[in-house]
Amino acid sequence: MNRYSVAVIAGDGIGPEVMAEGLKVLQAVERIHGGLLFERRAFDWNCRRYLQCGRMMPENGLEILREFDAILLGAIGSPMVPDHISVWELILPIRRQFQQYVNLRPIKLLRGLESPLRYKQHAELDFVVVRENTEGEYSNMGGRLHVNTPYELAVQNNVFTRFGCERVIRYAFSLAEQRGAGCVTAATKSNGINHSMPFWDEVVREVGRGYPGLQVQLTHIDALVSYFISRPESMGVVVASNLFGDILTDLGAAIVGGLGLSPSGNINPEKTFPSMFEPIHGSAPDIAGQGIANPIAQIWSISMMLDHLGYPELGKLVLDSIEAVLQEGLIRTPDIGGTATTAELGAAIVDKLMQLE
Ligand code: NAI
Ligand code: MG
């Protein structure tokens, strides 16, 4: 029996609702394989806990998580807690401490769904964004001075290290090789941001020289957002800094059907620490508690976890099951034009998984 320990942080809002469906899928995967066991341990690290005891996770939270093979996260965030607290006290420490320097975000139009880009078919919308996940614009270096005076100022430093840029850019190039994508597109803004972005561009070119079979496209972020809409089929692998990647992938989610469908992996490629898998959406307070959140992003994140743990055939089976349910078109949550509940869509995907097996 192959055993994997999985820490489950369902989080806030719709997090626990979509996680419940994800875990049913994981259980079905265990049944199908027969020799695979995911030992799950749930942690109530969320905003409710913060409001009760002033911490999102215990002081030794990272030490606890470190022992796991993988982490599944639902979503974090509550209108009762400032977002910079909930994100900086839970998600960012996990990504940084565990060197999850790749945030892998597939932008793929699933069969059975239509893109809001009306002429684009699913074969034309299938690429991956590799977002830097440990430095860049999301750095806590900086501060505020002269608070509450007319001279008040705020400074936030962007941090781009050679080590940090090289490793994520190299990951993107080797992923492009694996996927048979001819080209790596790197998001830049070296015309306006005149220190860090020219440096980023240099590292892209340097790393790119090691991959003579791949074309390198340095594209300014403002043009790149328009290309996501006008010619997404020209994208193979896109590599971007932390902030640019964050914004690009919400746009990416929108062109393939919405936030409820888009998963992500926070990957530590060397596997020296656990990686973390989560939907890219947040806790959606506007629909939380109604049982109508789309669980597909969460379930797809579990498919990515299976890929990462060395079971790509099971990861594919999960994704095939999602697509098969969407192609039948009978059971859909409201965000993709149906009336089904979260649990109904989750159950349909589990049923399909058992049939396809
Ligand atoms: P959000 O992703 O929670 O919601 C944006 C919109 O998408 C809402 O209209 C929501 O109803 C819809 N939506 C999101 N997921 C959906 C799903 N699975 N099914 C159907 N509709 C879905 O983003 P928002 O509103 O900016 O943030 C809400 C909270 O979530 C904030 O506290 C924010 O900080 C947090 N957040 C947490 C993230 C995480 O845990 N990794 C990521 C993004 C936001
Ligand atoms: Mg985001």
Side-chain angles (χ1 to χ4, degrees), residues 26-341:
L26 197 57
Q27 210 171 8
V29 167
E30 285 174 334
R31 250 180 287 150
I32 289 169
H33 186 281
L36 193 53
L37 191 66
F38 296 100
E39 292 167 333
R40 300 179 270 281
R41 186 165 154 208
F43 294 94
D44 67 342
W45 299 349
N46 58 17
C47 289
R48 188 179 316 136
R49 184 182 195 281
Y50 178 83
L51 291 170
Q52 281 162 5
C53 71
R55 291 191 68 98
M56 293 294 295
M57 65 171 149
E59 220 162 326
N60 64 343
L62 294 173
E63 279 164 52
I64 296 172
L65 290 181
R66 206 196 147 120
E67 302 305 320
F68 285 82
D69 293 311
I71 304 164
L72 283 176
L73 180 73
I76 294 291
S78 154
M80 315 274 285
V81 176
D83 287 338
H84 66 270
I85 292 181
S86 52
V87 170
W88 271 100
E89 292 204 0
L90 188 84
I91 299 179
L92 294 188
I94 295 174
R95 289 178 178 169
R96 280 157 196 235
Q97 191 71 26
F98 295 156
Q99 295 297 315
Q100 296 168 350
Y101 61 86
V102 169
N103 192 308
L104 197 59
R105 298 185 160 189
I107 308 295
K108 178 179 164 81
L109 181 64
L110 298 175
R111 288 184 179 80
L113 287 180
E114 272 178 17
S115 169
L117 305 179
R118 88 194 131 115
Y119 301 115
K120 301 293 175 191
Q121 305 302 315
H122 84 97
E124 297 169 286
L125 275 167
D126 186 3
F127 61 97
V128 182
V129 177
V130 173
R131 167 192 174 195
E132 203 291 322
N133 212 25
T134 54
E135 54 176 45
E137 304 86 348
Y138 294 2
S139 101
N140 57 356
M141 291 177 70
R144 289 169 72 160
L145 267 185
H146 308 304
V147 176
N148 290 330
T149 72
Y151 323 107
E152 183 162 5
L153 72 94
V155 172
Q156 185 120 23
N157 292 309
N158 292 353
V159 175
F160 287 79
T161 65
R162 181 169 288 281
F163 177 73
C165 294
E166 262 181 25
R167 63 182 182 176
V168 74
I169 291 166
R170 184 160 294 122
Y171 182 94
F173 275 92
S174 46
L175 182 65
E177 245 180 12
Q178 271 170 44
R179 286 176 57 89
C183 171
V184 170
T185 303
T188 184
K189 190 61 192 167
S190 47
N191 54 356
I193 301 174
N194 66 343
H195 296 301
S196 54
M197 279 293 140
F199 172 66
W200 165 268
D201 293 359
E202 276 168 39
V203 179
V204 169
R205 288 196 199 93
E206 276 167 32
V207 173
R209 280 198 279 277
Y211 296 83
L214 291 172
Q215 244 192 308
V216 184
Q217 203 90 55
L218 279 155
T219 306
H220 291 305
I221 184 72
D222 37 358
L224 186 53
V225 290
S226 76
Y227 298 158
F228 264 41
I229 303 289
S230 58
R231 43 180 162 98
E233 65 281 3
S234 68
M235 306 292 152
V237 171
V238 177
V239 63
S241 64
N242 210 330
L243 173 66
F244 287 175
D246 194 5
I247 298 170
L248 278 175
T249 48
D250 267 36
L251 176 61
I255 60 177
V256 293
L259 282 172
L261 296 152
S262 292
S264 73
N266 301 274
I267 310 279
N268 170 248
E270 293 76 24
K271 301 194 177 168
T272 39
F273 294 101
S275 293
M276 177 166 71
F277 300 86
E278 56 171 327
I280 79 165
H281 63 71
S283 56
D286 55 339
I287 57 164
Q290 298 176 32
I292 54 165
N294 190 333
I296 287 179
Q298 183 81 69
I299 294 171
W300 191 346
S301 81
I302 287 171
S303 153
M304 292 178 76
M305 179 181 83
L306 293 166
D307 292 346
H308 178 76
L309 292 176
Y311 299 92
E313 67 295 346
L314 291 174
K316 181 173 183 303
L317 190 63
V318 170
L319 196 52
D320 287 347
S321 308
I322 296 172
E323 279 194 315
V325 170
L326 290 172
Q327 275 181 301
E328 284 171 6
L330 300 171
I331 300 181
R332 291 181 177 206
T333 42
D335 59 305
I336 46 173
T339 55
T341 63

